[in-house]
Amino acid sequence: FDLVAMLGRRLAAPWRAGSLHLRVPGAHTAAGSVRSIRTDQALVRGVSLSWTKALSREQAPLSLQKAQEEHATYVEVLRRCVDTVVEIPADPKLPDCCFIEDCAVSIGRTVLLTNPGAASRRPEPPALSAPIRALPGAPRTLVSMLEMDSSATLDGGDVLHTERHVFVGLSSRTNAAGVEALRAALAPELPGGARSVFAIEVIGDLHLKSLATYAGNHQMAVDDSPGGRHLAQEVDRLTGVSGGYAWHVMSTHAATNLLRVNDFLIMQEGVKRLPEIGKLLDAAHVRPENAFEVPNQEFSKADGAVTCRSVLIQHLSHFRK
């Protein structure tokens, strides 16, 4: 029995939208293999009055009113998923500040304030410091990436935490020094320490989580593109037999970015009807009535997706190594 050969054949299987790829048969349902992590608090930040100047690869015209309407719906849905949503006021001078995910990474007891890759966004993280320190419950360890290494850059959109591993995208916004700073700051919170953090090159998109997201219970949504296939292959190569992730290939790019919050899954409007989403919900143990859609047409013009506008804070009473 040649396990290496078997795994190689699985990676070479036809890659098509709606298909399911397993790293090891049955591995994603192994009992007791996932730490119990819950979220009881989330941070969001308002839409800036200068939103129409937000960074955008499409250069499409932006609407402040539409962004405010979509964001209000997003916050309303998030309140159905967590006990507390902390709303941080927008800064009128920072058009991208609603994309708060890029500014902080929270794992366990530690919150890392990042140094975003786009120079215009680097004034954003300091505004999160006071709200994070004021969060109820056990005190958090707040770490500033800038104080660790001023050359390090990292966007939270490049950080994919799957409870056992952290995959960090090397992209136009995140560099190798940023990966090392994250590894140093968050290793104590991870079951495998620094060895749980893996860097993966991002191909063909802005962030790693533009290509894949984690839906819970070892289930991954992945983009039907060369960049998505590359990411899946790298995750499987780096984690080996212990990885055990199941890859659900999405038929539309909009369905790739999903936000798992406790027993709920938040997704972009219009994708819940997709057959592959139905299969993913079942495998991730999410009831269909707990899958919420949110409008994202306006934010997508500025490369924004569902995960971009919140930072989830873990409930420490459910966190165990």
Side-chain angles (χ1 to χ4, degrees):
F1 178 72
D2 189 340
L3 178 62
V4 174
M6 181 199 75
L7 295 178
R9 286 194 296 271
R10 287 193 167 273
L11 287 176
W15 184 268
R16 62 187 183 278
S19 62
L20 172 65
H21 296 253
L22 301 182
R23 185 69 171 98
V24 179
H28 62 292
T29 58
S33 61
V34 181
R35 294 180 299 156
S36 177
I37 297 180
R38 306 289 289 179
T39 297
D40 64 345
Q41 301 170 106
L43 303 177
V44 297
R45 195 168 188 187
V47 179
S48 174
L49 292 177
S50 60
W51 162 253
T52 56
K53 298 179 181 179
L55 297 172
S56 172
R57 291 180 298 170
E58 292 185 10
Q59 299 298 312
L62 301 176
S63 166
L64 175 60
Q65 180 180 347
K66 290 181 180 178
Q68 291 173 331
E69 291 172 353
E70 289 186 2
H71 191 61
T73 301
Y74 181 87
V75 175
E76 179 183 348
V77 168
L78 199 55
R79 290 189 186 281
R80 298 169 65 181
C81 303
V82 297
D83 295 337
T84 303
V85 176
V86 177
E87 296 188 64
I88 301 172
D91 188 325
K93 298 178 182 178
L94 301 174
D96 293 279
C97 67
C98 59
F99 298 130
I100 192 174
E101 173 192 45
D102 290 326
C103 300
V105 178
S106 173
I107 297 180
R109 301 160 182 80
T110 301
V111 180
L112 174 67
L113 294 182
T114 71
N115 186 34
S120 63
R121 300 196 59 192
R122 289 174 191 163
E124 294 177 27
L128 278 59
S129 179
I132 291 172
R133 293 188 188 281
L135 289 173
R140 307 278 167 171
T141 300
L142 196 61
V143 181
S144 170
M145 178 171 288
L146 259 180
E147 295 177 3
M148 298 175 68
D149 183 351
S150 60
S151 70
T153 63
L154 183 135
D155 277 12
D158 278 319
V159 181
L160 179 59
H161 180 212
T162 69
E163 294 153 336
R164 294 174 300 147
H165 305 112
V166 176
F167 303 103
V168 188
L170 291 169
S171 68
S172 61
R173 301 289 177 84
T174 297
N175 61 20
V179 177
E180 290 308 311
L182 179 143
R183 180 180 280 118
L186 299 179
E189 305 291 353
L190 300 169
R195 293 176 297 175
S196 298
V197 180
F198 301 98
I200 299 176
E201 181 184 5
V202 174
I203 296 176
D205 222 315
L206 182 64
H207 289 131
L208 185 146
K209 281 193 282 195
S210 304
L211 295 170
T213 48
Y214 183 61
N217 196 40
H218 304 266
Q219 309 301 307
M220 295 275 208
V222 63
D223 192 45
D224 183 19
S225 66
R229 183 180 181 90
H230 166 77
L231 192 153
Q233 290 176 327
E234 283 297 282
V235 167
D236 288 347
R237 180 183 67 83
L238 292 165
T239 59
V241 174
S242 65
Y245 294 108
W247 297 93
H248 298 258
V249 185
M250 298 291 113
S251 59
T252 175
H253 186 64
T256 300
N257 186 268
L258 308 170
L259 180 62
R260 179 67 186 254
V261 189
N262 297 324
D263 296 326
F264 306 93
L265 196 64
I266 303 176
M267 60 195 68
Q268 186 166 319
E269 193 174 60
V271 306
K272 186 177 177 179
R273 60 178 173 75
L274 297 174
E276 60 266 30
I277 288 290
K279 295 176 183 177
L280 176 63
L281 293 176
D282 182 62
H285 297 172
V286 177
R287 296 177 179 178
E289 61 268 26
N290 287 345
F292 301 139
E293 292 188 321
V294 294
N296 193 64
Q297 289 84 354
E298 179 64 20
F299 291 102
S300 67
K301 296 177 186 177
D303 304 304
V306 174
T307 62
C308 297
R309 284 179 282 135
S310 60
V311 174
L312 304 181
I313 306 296
Q314 293 172 0
H315 192 313
L316 296 185
S317 66
H318 290 271
F319 185 85
R320 58 184 175 84
K321 294 182 179 179

